[in-house]
mmCIF file of all heavy atoms in Angstrom:
data_model
loop_
_atom_site.group_PDB
_atom_site.id
_atom_site.type_symbol
_atom_site.label_atom_id
_atom_site.label_comp_id
_atom_site.label_asym_id
_atom_site.label_seq_id
_atom_site.Cartn_x
_atom_site.Cartn_y
_atom_site.Cartn_z
ATOM 1 N N ASP A 1 -20.955 3.420 6.859
ATOM 2 C CA ASP A 1 -20.604 2.022 6.614
ATOM 3 C C ASP A 1 -19.307 1.710 7.351
ATOM 4 O O ASP A 1 -18.406 2.557 7.442
ATOM 5 C CB ASP A 1 -20.421 1.777 5.111
ATOM 6 C CG ASP A 1 -20.146 0.318 4.802
ATOM 7 O OD1 ASP A 1 -20.751 -0.546 5.452
ATOM 8 O OD2 ASP A 1 -19.299 0.048 3.914
ATOM 9 N N ILE A 2 -19.223 0.498 7.888
ATOM 10 C CA ILE A 2 -18.025 0.049 8.603
ATOM 11 C C ILE A 2 -17.520 -1.241 7.973
ATOM 12 O O ILE A 2 -18.303 -2.152 7.711
ATOM 13 C CB ILE A 2 -18.314 -0.173 10.103
ATOM 14 C CG1 ILE A 2 -18.690 1.142 10.775
ATOM 15 C CG2 ILE A 2 -17.098 -0.791 10.797
ATOM 16 C CD1 ILE A 2 -19.044 0.993 12.241
ATOM 17 N N ARG A 3 -16.202 -1.283 7.728
ATOM 18 C CA ARG A 3 -15.570 -2.492 7.207
ATOM 19 C C ARG A 3 -14.389 -2.878 8.093
ATOM 20 O O ARG A 3 -13.638 -2.020 8.548
ATOM 21 C CB ARG A 3 -15.070 -2.289 5.769
ATOM 22 C CG ARG A 3 -16.170 -2.168 4.728
ATOM 23 C CD ARG A 3 -15.557 -2.134 3.331
ATOM 24 N NE ARG A 3 -16.558 -1.871 2.300
ATOM 25 C CZ ARG A 3 -16.270 -1.805 0.994
ATOM 26 N NH1 ARG A 3 -15.022 -1.977 0.580
ATOM 27 N NH2 ARG A 3 -17.227 -1.558 0.118
ATOM 28 N N HIS A 4 -14.229 -4.175 8.296
ATOM 29 C CA HIS A 4 -13.088 -4.711 9.015
ATOM 30 C C HIS A 4 -12.217 -5.475 8.009
ATOM 31 O O HIS A 4 -12.733 -6.250 7.202
ATOM 32 C CB HIS A 4 -13.545 -5.662 10.126
ATOM 33 C CG HIS A 4 -14.506 -5.032 11.091
ATOM 34 N ND1 HIS A 4 -14.094 -4.317 12.191
ATOM 35 C CD2 HIS A 4 -15.866 -5.013 11.105
ATOM 36 C CE1 HIS A 4 -15.142 -3.883 12.851
ATOM 37 N NE2 HIS A 4 -16.243 -4.295 12.227
ATOM 38 N N SER A 5 -10.913 -5.258 8.083
ATOM 39 C CA SER A 5 -10.019 -5.885 7.119
ATOM 40 C C SER A 5 -8.706 -6.290 7.773
ATOM 41 O O SER A 5 -8.248 -5.659 8.736
ATOM 42 C CB SER A 5 -9.706 -4.935 5.948
ATOM 43 O OG SER A 5 -10.875 -4.543 5.263
ATOM 44 N N ALA A 6 -8.111 -7.347 7.222
ATOM 45 C CA ALA A 6 -6.718 -7.674 7.522
ATOM 46 C C ALA A 6 -5.853 -6.880 6.549
ATOM 47 O O ALA A 6 -6.225 -6.681 5.392
ATOM 48 C CB ALA A 6 -6.473 -9.171 7.373
ATOM 49 N N ARG A 7 -4.701 -6.429 7.020
ATOM 50 C CA ARG A 7 -3.881 -5.518 6.226
ATOM 51 C C ARG A 7 -2.458 -6.037 6.074
ATOM 52 O O ARG A 7 -1.821 -6.447 7.044
ATOM 53 C CB ARG A 7 -3.851 -4.131 6.879
ATOM 54 C CG ARG A 7 -2.984 -3.103 6.172
ATOM 55 C CD ARG A 7 -3.047 -1.770 6.887
ATOM 56 N NE ARG A 7 -2.180 -0.784 6.251
ATOM 57 C CZ ARG A 7 -0.891 -0.603 6.563
ATOM 58 N NH1 ARG A 7 -0.343 -1.343 7.524
ATOM 59 N NH2 ARG A 7 -0.165 0.299 5.941
ATOM 60 N N LEU A 8 -1.956 -5.999 4.827
ATOM 61 C CA LEU A 8 -0.562 -6.313 4.519
ATOM 62 C C LEU A 8 0.031 -5.162 3.719
ATOM 63 O O LEU A 8 -0.644 -4.580 2.866
ATOM 64 C CB LEU A 8 -0.451 -7.610 3.718
ATOM 65 C CG LEU A 8 -0.873 -8.904 4.428
ATOM 66 C CD1 LEU A 8 -0.831 -10.073 3.444
ATOM 67 C CD2 LEU A 8 0.021 -9.190 5.634
ATOM 68 N N PHE A 9 1.287 -4.843 3.991
ATOM 69 C CA PHE A 9 1.926 -3.716 3.331
ATOM 70 C C PHE A 9 3.415 -3.988 3.162
ATOM 71 O O PHE A 9 4.063 -4.568 4.032
ATOM 72 C CB PHE A 9 1.722 -2.437 4.159
ATOM 73 C CG PHE A 9 2.404 -1.218 3.607
ATOM 74 C CD1 PHE A 9 1.776 -0.413 2.664
ATOM 75 C CD2 PHE A 9 3.684 -0.867 4.027
ATOM 76 C CE1 PHE A 9 2.403 0.713 2.152
ATOM 77 C CE2 PHE A 9 4.317 0.258 3.524
ATOM 78 C CZ PHE A 9 3.672 1.045 2.585
ATOM 79 N N VAL A 10 3.946 -3.540 2.015
ATOM 80 C CA VAL A 10 5.389 -3.582 1.772
ATOM 81 C C VAL A 10 5.823 -2.184 1.356
ATOM 82 O O VAL A 10 5.223 -1.581 0.451
ATOM 83 C CB VAL A 10 5.761 -4.594 0.671
ATOM 84 C CG1 VAL A 10 7.265 -4.536 0.388
ATOM 85 C CG2 VAL A 10 5.372 -6.006 1.091
ATOM 86 N N GLY A 11 6.844 -1.643 2.022
ATOM 87 C CA GLY A 11 7.321 -0.300 1.714
ATOM 88 C C GLY A 11 8.807 -0.265 1.455
ATOM 89 O O GLY A 11 9.570 -1.073 1.993
ATOM 90 N N TYR A 12 9.222 0.691 0.635
ATOM 91 C CA TYR A 12 10.646 0.847 0.308
ATOM 92 C C TYR A 12 10.952 2.321 0.156
ATOM 93 O O TYR A 12 10.224 3.052 -0.524
ATOM 94 C CB TYR A 12 10.977 0.109 -0.990
ATOM 95 C CG TYR A 12 12.432 0.202 -1.397
ATOM 96 C CD1 TYR A 12 13.428 -0.395 -0.638
ATOM 97 C CD2 TYR A 12 12.808 0.903 -2.539
ATOM 98 C CE1 TYR A 12 14.760 -0.320 -1.006
ATOM 99 C CE2 TYR A 12 14.140 0.987 -2.914
ATOM 100 C CZ TYR A 12 15.111 0.374 -2.141
ATOM 101 O OH TYR A 12 16.433 0.465 -2.505
ATOM 102 N N ARG A 13 12.020 2.779 0.819
ATOM 103 C CA ARG A 13 12.448 4.174 0.754
ATOM 104 C C ARG A 13 13.958 4.192 0.548
ATOM 105 O O ARG A 13 14.698 3.570 1.303
ATOM 106 C CB ARG A 13 12.076 4.917 2.035
ATOM 107 C CG ARG A 13 12.487 6.380 2.057
ATOM 108 C CD ARG A 13 12.228 7.034 3.408
ATOM 109 N NE ARG A 13 10.815 7.060 3.748
ATOM 110 C CZ ARG A 13 10.293 6.412 4.774
ATOM 111 N NH1 ARG A 13 11.072 5.672 5.554
ATOM 112 N NH2 ARG A 13 9.003 6.474 5.026
ATOM 113 N N ASN A 14 14.425 4.935 -0.456
ATOM 114 C CA ASN A 14 15.853 4.946 -0.765
ATOM 115 C C ASN A 14 16.276 6.317 -1.277
ATOM 116 O O ASN A 14 15.718 6.821 -2.245
ATOM 117 C CB ASN A 14 16.175 3.874 -1.815
ATOM 118 C CG ASN A 14 17.670 3.751 -2.075
ATOM 119 O OD1 ASN A 14 18.486 4.394 -1.432
ATOM 120 N ND2 ASN A 14 18.024 2.918 -3.030
ATOM 121 N N SER A 15 17.251 6.917 -0.592
ATOM 122 C CA SER A 15 17.906 8.107 -1.127
ATOM 123 C C SER A 15 19.023 7.621 -2.034
ATOM 124 O O SER A 15 20.131 7.306 -1.582
ATOM 125 C CB SER A 15 18.464 8.971 0.002
ATOM 126 O OG SER A 15 17.419 9.496 0.777
ATOM 127 N N ILE A 16 18.707 7.492 -3.319
ATOM 128 C CA ILE A 16 19.613 6.878 -4.281
ATOM 129 C C ILE A 16 20.954 7.590 -4.308
ATOM 130 O O ILE A 16 22.016 6.977 -4.399
ATOM 131 C CB ILE A 16 18.962 6.878 -5.677
ATOM 132 C CG1 ILE A 16 17.619 6.119 -5.634
ATOM 133 C CG2 ILE A 16 19.898 6.271 -6.711
ATOM 134 C CD1 ILE A 16 16.798 6.265 -6.881
ATOM 135 N N SER A 17 20.908 8.893 -4.211
ATOM 136 C CA SER A 17 22.124 9.702 -4.204
ATOM 137 C C SER A 17 21.808 11.003 -3.486
ATOM 138 O O SER A 17 20.725 11.177 -2.927
ATOM 139 C CB SER A 17 22.603 9.965 -5.636
ATOM 140 O OG SER A 17 21.680 10.796 -6.327
ATOM 141 N N GLU A 18 22.756 11.929 -3.503
ATOM 142 C CA GLU A 18 22.520 13.229 -2.893
ATOM 143 C C GLU A 18 21.450 14.030 -3.639
ATOM 144 O O GLU A 18 20.888 14.977 -3.099
ATOM 145 C CB GLU A 18 23.824 14.033 -2.862
ATOM 146 C CG GLU A 18 24.881 13.459 -1.933
ATOM 147 C CD GLU A 18 24.459 13.495 -0.483
ATOM 148 O OE1 GLU A 18 23.719 14.420 -0.112
ATOM 149 O OE2 GLU A 18 24.863 12.600 0.278
ATOM 150 N N THR A 19 21.153 13.625 -4.879
ATOM 151 C CA THR A 19 20.220 14.404 -5.705
ATOM 152 C C THR A 19 18.955 13.640 -6.095
ATOM 153 O O THR A 19 18.116 14.193 -6.782
ATOM 154 C CB THR A 19 20.920 14.871 -6.986
ATOM 155 O OG1 THR A 19 21.382 13.734 -7.728
ATOM 156 C CG2 THR A 19 22.110 15.766 -6.657
ATOM 157 N N ALA A 20 18.824 12.385 -5.678
ATOM 158 C CA ALA A 20 17.660 11.600 -6.101
ATOM 159 C C ALA A 20 17.204 10.675 -4.979
ATOM 160 O O ALA A 20 18.023 10.142 -4.216
ATOM 161 C CB ALA A 20 17.984 10.781 -7.343
ATOM 162 N N SER A 21 15.889 10.488 -4.869
ATOM 163 C CA SER A 21 15.318 9.568 -3.891
ATOM 164 C C SER A 21 14.079 8.914 -4.486
ATOM 165 O O SER A 21 13.415 9.477 -5.368
ATOM 166 C CB SER A 21 14.959 10.289 -2.591
ATOM 167 O OG SER A 21 13.959 11.265 -2.815
ATOM 168 N N PHE A 22 13.759 7.717 -3.981
ATOM 169 C CA PHE A 22 12.630 6.943 -4.496
ATOM 170 C C PHE A 22 11.869 6.333 -3.335
ATOM 171 O O PHE A 22 12.468 5.747 -2.427
ATOM 172 C CB PHE A 22 13.129 5.840 -5.425
ATOM 173 C CG PHE A 22 12.042 4.926 -5.928
ATOM 174 C CD1 PHE A 22 11.116 5.379 -6.859
ATOM 175 C CD2 PHE A 22 11.933 3.625 -5.464
ATOM 176 C CE1 PHE A 22 10.100 4.546 -7.327
ATOM 177 C CE2 PHE A 22 10.930 2.788 -5.919
ATOM 178 C CZ PHE A 22 10.012 3.251 -6.852
ATOM 179 N N ASN A 23 10.549 6.506 -3.347
ATOM 180 C CA ASN A 23 9.672 5.927 -2.322
ATOM 181 C C ASN A 23 8.559 5.159 -2.996
ATOM 182 O O ASN A 23 8.007 5.605 -4.019
ATOM 183 C CB ASN A 23 9.043 7.013 -1.442
ATOM 184 C CG ASN A 23 10.059 7.849 -0.715
ATOM 185 O OD1 ASN A 23 11.178 7.411 -0.487
ATOM 186 N ND2 ASN A 23 9.673 9.065 -0.349
ATOM 187 N N THR A 24 8.188 4.018 -2.425
ATOM 188 C CA THR A 24 7.046 3.284 -2.955
ATOM 189 C C THR A 24 6.435 2.432 -1.848
ATOM 190 O O THR A 24 7.122 2.065 -0.877
ATOM 191 C CB THR A 24 7.447 2.395 -4.145
ATOM 192 O OG1 THR A 24 6.261 1.843 -4.745
ATOM 193 C CG2 THR A 24 8.375 1.269 -3.703
ATOM 194 N N GLY A 25 5.155 2.131 -1.987
ATOM 195 C CA GLY A 25 4.461 1.293 -1.015
ATOM 196 C C GLY A 25 3.263 0.610 -1.638
ATOM 197 O O GLY A 25 2.520 1.224 -2.415
ATOM 198 N N LEU A 26 3.081 -0.668 -1.327
ATOM 199 C CA LEU A 26 1.963 -1.461 -1.845
ATOM 200 C C LEU A 26 1.174 -2.012 -0.668
ATOM 201 O O LEU A 26 1.731 -2.671 0.214
ATOM 202 C CB LEU A 26 2.485 -2.602 -2.718
ATOM 203 C CG LEU A 26 1.427 -3.510 -3.350
ATOM 204 C CD1 LEU A 26 0.566 -2.735 -4.346
ATOM 205 C CD2 LEU A 26 2.090 -4.703 -4.035
ATOM 206 N N GLU A 27 -0.134 -1.731 -0.660
ATOM 207 C CA GLU A 27 -0.996 -2.115 0.455
ATOM 208 C C GLU A 27 -2.137 -2.995 -0.034
ATOM 209 O O GLU A 27 -2.784 -2.688 -1.045
ATOM 210 C CB GLU A 27 -1.556 -0.857 1.117
ATOM 211 C CG GLU A 27 -2.469 -1.122 2.298
ATOM 212 C CD GLU A 27 -3.068 0.157 2.866
ATOM 213 O OE1 GLU A 27 -3.593 0.958 2.057
ATOM 214 O OE2 GLU A 27 -3.007 0.361 4.082
ATOM 215 N N TYR A 28 -2.386 -4.087 0.695
ATOM 216 C CA TYR A 28 -3.491 -4.986 0.382
ATOM 217 C C TYR A 28 -4.374 -5.125 1.615
ATOM 218 O O TYR A 28 -3.883 -5.391 2.713
ATOM 219 C CB TYR A 28 -2.978 -6.361 -0.042
ATOM 220 C CG TYR A 28 -4.080 -7.375 -0.271
ATOM 221 C CD1 TYR A 28 -4.860 -7.327 -1.430
ATOM 222 C CD2 TYR A 28 -4.345 -8.367 0.670
ATOM 223 C CE1 TYR A 28 -5.873 -8.252 -1.643
ATOM 224 C CE2 TYR A 28 -5.356 -9.302 0.467
ATOM 225 C CZ TYR A 28 -6.116 -9.228 -0.694
ATOM 226 O OH TYR A 28 -7.122 -10.141 -0.900
ATOM 227 N N LEU A 29 -5.684 -4.933 1.426
ATOM 228 C CA LEU A 29 -6.636 -5.052 2.521
ATOM 229 C C LEU A 29 -7.699 -6.080 2.153
ATOM 230 O O LEU A 29 -8.377 -5.938 1.120
ATOM 231 C CB LEU A 29 -7.290 -3.697 2.819
ATOM 232 C CG LEU A 29 -6.312 -2.605 3.252
ATOM 233 C CD1 LEU A 29 -6.281 -1.494 2.202
ATOM 234 C CD2 LEU A 29 -6.677 -2.036 4.610
ATOM 235 N N GLN A 30 -7.820 -7.098 2.994
ATOM 236 C CA GLN A 30 -8.776 -8.176 2.771
ATOM 237 C C GLN A 30 -9.890 -8.096 3.800
ATOM 238 O O GLN A 30 -9.643 -8.144 5.012
ATOM 239 C CB GLN A 30 -8.083 -9.529 2.880
ATOM 240 C CG GLN A 30 -9.019 -10.716 2.774
ATOM 241 C CD GLN A 30 -9.747 -10.777 1.439
ATOM 242 O OE1 GLN A 30 -9.117 -10.916 0.387
ATOM 243 N NE2 GLN A 30 -11.074 -10.669 1.460
ATOM 244 N N GLY A 31 -11.132 -7.922 3.302
ATOM 245 C CA GLY A 31 -12.267 -7.818 4.198
ATOM 246 C C GLY A 31 -12.462 -9.060 5.041
ATOM 247 O O GLY A 31 -12.289 -10.194 4.552
ATOM 248 N N ILE A 32 -12.800 -8.880 6.307
ATOM 249 C CA ILE A 32 -13.125 -9.991 7.203
ATOM 250 C C ILE A 32 -14.348 -9.583 8.040
ATOM 251 O O ILE A 32 -14.452 -8.428 8.479
ATOM 252 C CB ILE A 32 -11.938 -10.338 8.142
ATOM 253 C CG1 ILE A 32 -11.411 -9.070 8.830
ATOM 254 C CG2 ILE A 32 -10.844 -11.064 7.412
ATOM 255 C CD1 ILE A 32 -10.332 -9.305 9.854
ATOM 256 N N PRO A 33 -15.311 -10.464 8.236
ATOM 257 C CA PRO A 33 -15.368 -11.823 7.689
ATOM 258 C C PRO A 33 -15.915 -11.879 6.256
ATOM 259 O O PRO A 33 -15.934 -12.947 5.655
ATOM 260 C CB PRO A 33 -16.304 -12.526 8.662
ATOM 261 C CG PRO A 33 -17.256 -11.437 9.085
ATOM 262 C CD PRO A 33 -16.430 -10.178 9.139
ATOM 263 N N GLU A 34 -16.398 -10.737 5.736
ATOM 264 C CA GLU A 34 -16.951 -10.717 4.380
ATOM 265 C C GLU A 34 -15.799 -10.599 3.386
ATOM 266 O O GLU A 34 -15.339 -9.511 3.065
ATOM 267 C CB GLU A 34 -17.930 -9.558 4.224
ATOM 268 C CG GLU A 34 -19.117 -9.635 5.177
ATOM 269 C CD GLU A 34 -20.095 -8.489 4.930
ATOM 270 O OE1 GLU A 34 -20.644 -8.409 3.820
ATOM 271 O OE2 GLU A 34 -20.274 -7.678 5.853
ATOM 272 N N THR A 35 -15.345 -11.719 2.875
ATOM 273 C CA THR A 35 -14.143 -11.752 2.044
ATOM 274 C C THR A 35 -14.357 -11.181 0.645
ATOM 275 O O THR A 35 -13.392 -11.013 -0.099
ATOM 276 C CB THR A 35 -13.624 -13.192 1.925
ATOM 277 O OG1 THR A 35 -14.673 -14.023 1.392
ATOM 278 C CG2 THR A 35 -13.197 -13.721 3.287
ATOM 279 N N LYS A 36 -15.600 -10.867 0.272
ATOM 280 C CA LYS A 36 -15.824 -10.269 -1.047
ATOM 281 C C LYS A 36 -15.272 -8.853 -1.122
ATOM 282 O O LYS A 36 -15.073 -8.305 -2.211
ATOM 283 C CB LYS A 36 -17.308 -10.274 -1.394
ATOM 284 C CG LYS A 36 -18.155 -9.383 -0.483
ATOM 285 C CD LYS A 36 -19.618 -9.422 -0.902
ATOM 286 C CE LYS A 36 -20.476 -8.517 0.001
ATOM 287 N NZ LYS A 36 -21.896 -8.531 -0.429
ATOM 288 N N PHE A 37 -15.045 -8.236 0.032
ATOM 289 C CA PHE A 37 -14.467 -6.890 0.058
ATOM 290 C C PHE A 37 -12.941 -6.983 0.135
ATOM 291 O O PHE A 37 -12.399 -7.548 1.083
ATOM 292 C CB PHE A 37 -14.986 -6.095 1.274
ATOM 293 C CG PHE A 37 -16.463 -5.873 1.271
ATOM 294 C CD1 PHE A 37 -17.275 -6.479 2.221
ATOM 295 C CD2 PHE A 37 -17.051 -5.048 0.316
ATOM 296 C CE1 PHE A 37 -18.644 -6.269 2.214
ATOM 297 C CE2 PHE A 37 -18.421 -4.836 0.310
ATOM 298 C CZ PHE A 37 -19.222 -5.446 1.251
ATOM 299 N N TRP A 38 -12.281 -6.432 -0.871
ATOM 300 C CA TRP A 38 -10.823 -6.303 -0.796
ATOM 301 C C TRP A 38 -10.372 -5.103 -1.616
ATOM 302 O O TRP A 38 -11.025 -4.698 -2.566
ATOM 303 C CB TRP A 38 -10.100 -7.583 -1.236
ATOM 304 C CG TRP A 38 -10.322 -8.018 -2.655
ATOM 305 C CD1 TRP A 38 -11.333 -8.795 -3.126
ATOM 306 C CD2 TRP A 38 -9.492 -7.712 -3.783
ATOM 307 N NE1 TRP A 38 -11.196 -9.002 -4.474
ATOM 308 C CE2 TRP A 38 -10.071 -8.354 -4.911
ATOM 309 C CE3 TRP A 38 -8.328 -6.979 -3.963
ATOM 310 C CZ2 TRP A 38 -9.525 -8.260 -6.185
ATOM 311 C CZ3 TRP A 38 -7.775 -6.891 -5.233
ATOM 312 C CH2 TRP A 38 -8.376 -7.526 -6.319
ATOM 313 N N ARG A 39 -9.265 -4.513 -1.173
ATOM 314 C CA ARG A 39 -8.759 -3.291 -1.791
ATOM 315 C C ARG A 39 -7.252 -3.388 -2.000
ATOM 316 O O ARG A 39 -6.554 -4.116 -1.289
ATOM 317 C CB ARG A 39 -9.078 -2.071 -0.913
ATOM 318 C CG ARG A 39 -10.548 -1.699 -0.887
ATOM 319 C CD ARG A 39 -10.830 -0.628 0.151
ATOM 320 N NE ARG A 39 -10.750 -1.153 1.499
ATOM 321 C CZ ARG A 39 -10.180 -0.523 2.516
ATOM 322 N NH1 ARG A 39 -9.588 0.665 2.322
ATOM 323 N NH2 ARG A 39 -10.157 -1.035 3.718
ATOM 324 N N LEU A 40 -6.774 -2.609 -2.967
ATOM 325 C CA LEU A 40 -5.345 -2.566 -3.280
ATOM 326 C C LEU A 40 -4.950 -1.111 -3.507
ATOM 327 O O LEU A 40 -5.596 -0.402 -4.294
ATOM 328 C CB LEU A 40 -5.047 -3.392 -4.538
ATOM 329 C CG LEU A 40 -3.568 -3.596 -4.887
ATOM 330 C CD1 LEU A 40 -2.894 -4.489 -3.859
ATOM 331 C CD2 LEU A 40 -3.438 -4.214 -6.280
ATOM 332 N N ASN A 41 -3.907 -0.658 -2.816
ATOM 333 C CA ASN A 41 -3.410 0.712 -2.951
ATOM 334 C C ASN A 41 -1.915 0.678 -3.261
ATOM 335 O O ASN A 41 -1.162 -0.068 -2.629
ATOM 336 C CB ASN A 41 -3.643 1.502 -1.660
ATOM 337 C CG ASN A 41 -5.115 1.580 -1.289
ATOM 338 O OD1 ASN A 41 -5.972 1.779 -2.143
ATOM 339 N ND2 ASN A 41 -5.404 1.421 -0.012
ATOM 340 N N TRP A 42 -1.491 1.512 -4.201
ATOM 341 C CA TRP A 42 -0.073 1.586 -4.554
ATOM 342 C C TRP A 42 0.315 3.046 -4.740
ATOM 343 O O TRP A 42 -0.388 3.813 -5.410
ATOM 344 C CB TRP A 42 0.198 0.803 -5.848
ATOM 345 C CG TRP A 42 1.643 0.873 -6.287
ATOM 346 C CD1 TRP A 42 2.741 0.849 -5.486
ATOM 347 C CD2 TRP A 42 2.120 0.992 -7.628
ATOM 348 N NE1 TRP A 42 3.893 0.925 -6.242
ATOM 349 C CE2 TRP A 42 3.546 1.017 -7.558
ATOM 350 C CE3 TRP A 42 1.499 1.074 -8.871
ATOM 351 C CZ2 TRP A 42 4.338 1.130 -8.686
ATOM 352 C CZ3 TRP A 42 2.299 1.175 -10.002
ATOM 353 C CH2 TRP A 42 3.693 1.194 -9.905
ATOM 354 N N ASP A 43 1.420 3.433 -4.131
ATOM 355 C CA ASP A 43 1.968 4.786 -4.262
ATOM 356 C C ASP A 43 3.440 4.691 -4.624
ATOM 357 O O ASP A 43 4.170 3.826 -4.112
ATOM 358 C CB ASP A 43 1.818 5.572 -2.958
ATOM 359 C CG ASP A 43 0.369 5.828 -2.602
ATOM 360 O OD1 ASP A 43 -0.291 6.572 -3.344
ATOM 361 O OD2 ASP A 43 -0.100 5.285 -1.587
ATOM 362 N N ALA A 44 3.896 5.602 -5.479
ATOM 363 C CA ALA A 44 5.306 5.658 -5.858
ATOM 364 C C ALA A 44 5.681 7.111 -6.127
ATOM 365 O O ALA A 44 4.875 7.892 -6.639
ATOM 366 C CB ALA A 44 5.580 4.799 -7.091
ATOM 367 N N ALA A 45 6.911 7.476 -5.763
ATOM 368 C CA ALA A 45 7.385 8.841 -5.977
ATOM 369 C C ALA A 45 8.873 8.832 -6.251
ATOM 370 O O ALA A 45 9.640 8.125 -5.589
ATOM 371 C CB ALA A 45 7.088 9.712 -4.756
ATOM 372 N N LEU A 46 9.281 9.612 -7.246
ATOM 373 C CA LEU A 46 10.691 9.785 -7.583
ATOM 374 C C LEU A 46 11.024 11.269 -7.486
ATOM 375 O O LEU A 46 10.410 12.090 -8.166
ATOM 376 C CB LEU A 46 10.986 9.270 -8.999
ATOM 377 C CG LEU A 46 12.425 9.442 -9.493
ATOM 378 C CD1 LEU A 46 13.384 8.627 -8.639
ATOM 379 C CD2 LEU A 46 12.534 9.029 -10.962
ATOM 380 N N ASN A 47 11.982 11.619 -6.621
ATOM 381 C CA ASN A 47 12.398 13.008 -6.415
ATOM 382 C C ASN A 47 13.784 13.228 -6.995
ATOM 383 O O ASN A 47 14.691 12.430 -6.768
ATOM 384 C CB ASN A 47 12.416 13.351 -4.922
ATOM 385 C CG ASN A 47 11.033 13.526 -4.349
ATOM 386 O OD1 ASN A 47 10.160 12.710 -4.574
ATOM 387 N ND2 ASN A 47 10.832 14.577 -3.591
ATOM 388 N N THR A 48 13.943 14.344 -7.722
ATOM 389 C CA THR A 48 15.235 14.718 -8.285
ATOM 390 C C THR A 48 15.546 16.147 -7.888
ATOM 391 O O THR A 48 14.777 17.066 -8.165
ATOM 392 C CB THR A 48 15.225 14.604 -9.824
ATOM 393 O OG1 THR A 48 14.843 13.277 -10.192
ATOM 394 C CG2 THR A 48 16.605 14.898 -10.385
#
């Protein structure tokens, strides 16, 4: 199966301190031309 989509993403990466860091990203994919297909992905990580 093949799908074509427009893609939007927002990402954030921060080394809060010498001992902690935080990463996150939110992705939205909108099917084109079949707009009934859409997906949402979210990832987050906290390192200590």
Side-chain angles (χ1 to χ4, degrees):
D1 184 38
I2 296 178
R3 290 187 186 181
H4 304 273
S5 301
R7 178 179 178 271
L8 294 174
F9 177 87
V10 176
Y12 181 67
R13 180 186 297 116
N14 186 4
S15 294
I16 302 170
S17 67
E18 293 295 328
T19 60
S21 63
F22 176 71
N23 300 336
T24 188
L26 181 65
E27 180 184 49
Y28 175 76
L29 299 115
Q30 175 61 63
I32 50 175
E34 299 183 62
T35 57
K36 66 179 181 179
F37 298 113
W38 62 273
R39 289 171 288 138
L40 188 68
N41 300 318
W42 178 38
D43 295 294
L46 178 64
N47 286 47
T48 304

